[in-house]
């Protein structure tokens, strides 16, 4: 006859089983959700379609709920911004020379659909065009159909999906600061936007303060991320949507665009930035640093997977200073030279503080920039 198991023994077995499950949930090899897993890193995450419930109740749009513990610290300095990046270098995958020949960005440790986007169950919410005017608003766990126009400070959008049919998904107005868009999916509905059917920007920064965009899955915009200063890190930008704008011309498309005249620092680090737009449909750059409204200055482009555009990178042109382009992979997945016409154009080689170092094509070849014309 078998010996009956005591109540205490059953409790011990149950506790051991629970500890095993919790440990597996937070291991590097299991990406399932756990209440004990950190909420501000790509680890222990679920996919964008996860059915796991959120540990924190979703905030209603417009409700001030304070600064979330899960938000990354504001990029008040280059060192602070750098600390927010779980880069391939920090995770031990090495320099770009050791990360070439990959079949996809994810295979080289760069962001993709698995490591970006919401980590919690989302609640559908049709807002249409919505203004946010309350400081400290937190928008979490929402599946929003509409667009958010921010007239407030320290607004955080986290673990949210936005499907826009407006000019943008999220826009920060001049005079306001502290916007963070984290672990979210921002997309659009082709043919429904106000720019002759096009939707221009996923995240737009109209002001002079820094905006943080991190761990986001962004697609179907003409110019996905538009800002002169900010901290753009760990994002997956893809499927840029070409369209003929209200002026009757093909919209010039970019994964990241800056028009110059910036007063702060723009950090573009550890992103996957893809611009598949054909040259006949308005392709501009994967990263476009243009002197449209003023001199381009103080931009760091580091440790990104970059592909597509007419040129993969527009470097700021004459007068650009403080432009650091380091340790990037320029992928040839769309064009043999990464961009349709080449890797880089309008690079100001003699500009003060401009650095071009250890940038390679995806086959390992070092890239030498063309001087500004």
């Amino acid at each position: 006859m078998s010996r009956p198991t005591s109540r205490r023994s059953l409790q011990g077995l149950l506790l051991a089983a629970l500890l095993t499950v919790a440990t597996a949930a937070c291991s590097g090899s299991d990406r399932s959700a756990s209440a004990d897993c950190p909420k501000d890193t790509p680890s222990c995450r679920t996919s964008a379609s996860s059915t796991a419930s959120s540990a924190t109740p979703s905030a209603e749009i417009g409700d001030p709920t304070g600064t979330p513990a899960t938000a990354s610290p504001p990029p008040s300095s280059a060192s602070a911004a750098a600390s927010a990046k779980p880069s391939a270098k920090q995770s031990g995958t090495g320099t770009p020379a050791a990360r070439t020949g990959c079949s996809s960005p994810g295979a080289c440790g760069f962001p993709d659909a698995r490591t970006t986007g919401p980590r919690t169950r989302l609640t559908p919410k049709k807002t249409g065009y919505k203004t946010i005017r309350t400081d400290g608003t937190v928008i979490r766990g929402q599946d929003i159909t509409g667009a958010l126009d921010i007239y407030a400070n320290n607004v955080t959008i986290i673990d949210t999906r936005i499907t826009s049919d407006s000019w943008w998904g999220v826009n920060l107005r001049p005079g306001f600061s502290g916007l963070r868009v984290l672990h979210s999916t921002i997309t659009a509905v082709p043919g429904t936007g106000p720019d002759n059917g096009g939707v221009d920007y996923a995240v737009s920064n109209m002001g002079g303060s820094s905006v943080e965009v991190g761990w986001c899955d962004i697609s179907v915009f003409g110019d996905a991320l538009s800002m002169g200063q900010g901290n753009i890190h760990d994002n997956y930008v893809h499927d840029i949507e070409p369209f003929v704008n209200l002026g009757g011309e093909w919209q010039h498309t970019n994964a990241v665009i800056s028009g110059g005249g910036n007063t702060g620092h723009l950090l573009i680090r550890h992103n996957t930035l893809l611009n598949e737009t054909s040259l006949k449909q308005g392709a501009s750059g994967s990263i476009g640093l243009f002197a449209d409204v003023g001199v381009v200055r103080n931009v760091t482009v580091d440790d990104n997977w970059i592909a597509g555009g007419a040129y993969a990178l527009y470097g700021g042109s004459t007068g650009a200073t403080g432009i650091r382009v380091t340790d990037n992979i320029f992928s040839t997945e769309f064009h043999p030279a990464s961009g349709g016409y080449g890797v880089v154009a309008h690079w100001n080689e003699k500009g003060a503080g401009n650095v071009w170092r250890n940038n390679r094509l995806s086959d390992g070849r070092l890239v030498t920039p063309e001087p500004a014309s």
Side-chain angles (χ1 to χ4, degrees), residues 156-190:
T156 297
I157 301 163
I158 187 167
D159 288 319
T160 288
R161 177 183 175 92
I162 297 174
T163 303
S164 175
D165 59 0
S166 185
W167 292 99
W168 50 69
V170 182
N171 180 55
L172 181 66
R173 292 286 177 169
F176 299 96
S177 63
L179 174 64
R180 300 175 190 175
V181 185
L182 309 173
H183 298 291
S184 294
T185 292
I186 308 175
T187 189
V189 180

Side-chain angles (χ1 to χ4, degrees), residues 54 58-59 120-124 139-143 158-160:
S54 172
S58 298
T120 59
R121 178 180 297 183
L122 305 180
T123 301
I139 299 168
R140 183 197 305 272
Q142 303 287 346
D143 188 350
I158 187 167
D159 288 319
T160 288

Side-chain angles (χ1 to χ4, degrees), residues 25-26 34-35 47 53 56 80-81 101 114 129 139 175 188-189 197 232 254 263 278 297 318 331:
C26 282
S34 169
S47 68
S53 61
T56 305
R114 299 170 302 155
Y129 170 81
I139 299 168
V189 180
I232 299 172
N254 299 271
T263 57
S278 75
R297 59 175 70 89
T318 303
S331 171

Side-chain angles (χ1 to χ4, degrees), residues 242-258:
F243 61 91
V244 176
N245 59 29
L246 289 172
E249 300 176 340
W250 283 105
Q251 178 76 6
H252 291 174
T253 61
N254 299 271
V256 177
I257 185 171
S258 175

Side-chain angles (χ1 to χ4, degrees), residues 252-310:
H252 291 174
T253 61
N254 299 271
V256 177
I257 185 171
S258 175
N262 56 304
T263 57
H265 183 231
L266 178 59
L267 176 65
I268 306 169
R269 175 169 284 162
H270 196 59
N271 303 277
T272 298
L273 303 173
L274 309 178
N275 186 354
E276 307 95 319
T277 308
S278 75
L279 297 176
K280 295 180 179 180
Q281 292 182 303
S284 183
S286 284
I287 299 178
L289 306 179
F290 302 113
D292 292 338
V293 297
V295 173
V296 179
R297 59 175 70 89
N298 300 330
V299 180
T300 297
V301 180
D302 176 65
D303 190 31
N304 300 280
W305 178 282
I306 304 168

Side-chain angles (χ1 to χ4, degrees), residues 39-216:
K39 298 297 186 186
D40 59 348
T41 69
S43 62
C44 298
R45 52 175 297 112
T46 63
S47 68
S49 60
S50 170
T51 57
S53 61
S54 172
T56 305
S58 298
E60 291 296 324
I61 293 182
D63 286 352
T65 60
T67 302
T70 55
S72 303
S76 56
S77 66
S79 60
S83 68
K85 180 195 71 156
S87 72
K89 298 176 200 174
Q90 292 173 340
S91 62
T93 54
T95 64
R99 293 184 289 125
T100 57
C102 299
S103 59
S104 67
C108 262
F110 289 96
D112 59 15
R114 299 170 302 155
T115 57
T116 56
R119 305 158 297 173
T120 59
R121 178 180 297 183
L122 305 180
T123 301
K125 194 173 187 70
K126 188 170 183 177
T127 67
Y129 170 81
K130 178 76 174 180
T131 59
I132 305 298
R133 299 184 182 275
T134 303
D135 289 351
T137 295
V138 176
I139 299 168
R140 183 197 305 272
Q142 303 287 346
D143 188 350
I144 294 170
T145 301
L148 303 179
D149 204 359
I150 313 299
Y151 291 82
N153 297 310
N154 302 320
V155 172
T156 297
I157 301 163
I158 187 167
D159 288 319
T160 288
R161 177 183 175 92
I162 297 174
T163 303
S164 175
D165 59 0
S166 185
W167 292 99
W168 50 69
V170 182
N171 180 55
L172 181 66
R173 292 286 177 169
F176 299 96
S177 63
L179 174 64
R180 300 175 190 175
V181 185
L182 309 173
H183 298 291
S184 294
T185 292
I186 308 175
T187 189
V189 180
T192 63
D195 195 356
N196 197 32
V199 183
D200 291 77
Y201 311 112
V203 180
S204 168
N205 181 5
M206 297 176 69
S209 66
S210 182
V211 169
E212 181 181 6
V213 183
W215 303 289
C216 290

